[in-house]
Amino acid sequence: MLVHCLTLRFATSASAADVEAFREAIARLPSQVDFPMRTRQGPDLGERATNADYAVVSEFADTEDFRRYLLHPAHLAVPRDHVESVHSVQFLVGDGEWTGRGV
């Protein structure tokens, strides 16, 4: 399984509605792609001043599905107008077959 971790900061101009539009677009992604994908997301809890504002963790069966995701129209349509900076990392975990089901 490939895990894709994304942290981002929203611009100071981002409204609550802008952040919610981003959240909703991310939440819809698994139902819009034609391969198994699981996504979890949420705002930072504010425990450390240096943290990002928001995080998204997505899981894919393999690197090929992740690469397809990067080019998928639903991914490209996620609103990014109010995103100031993004950092990401991808890594592989496990050695068994993953179906994209479960929590």
Side-chain angles (χ1 to χ4, degrees), residues 3 76 82 94:
V3 178
L76 297 174
H82 297 282

Side-chain angles (χ1 to χ4, degrees), residues 25-91:
I26 296 294
R28 285 191 302 270
L29 285 172
S31 67
Q32 294 176 315
V33 298
D34 57 348
F35 43 84
M37 173 188 179
R38 177 172 49 196
T39 298
R40 290 174 268 181
Q41 63 175 315
D44 180 60
L45 298 176
E47 297 295 320
R48 300 180 72 201
T50 58
N51 284 3
D53 297 328
Y54 204 86
V56 179
V57 177
S58 300
E59 298 172 348
F60 301 88
D62 53 36
T63 303
E64 182 179 319
D65 283 352
F66 173 67
R67 289 181 180 148
R68 290 173 57 206
Y69 164 77
L70 292 176
L71 300 174
H72 196 281
H75 173 251
L76 297 174
V78 171
R80 295 173 174 85
D81 298 346
H82 297 282
V83 173
E84 186 174 277
S85 67
V86 175
H87 293 116
S88 68
V89 63
Q90 297 77 44
F91 58 93

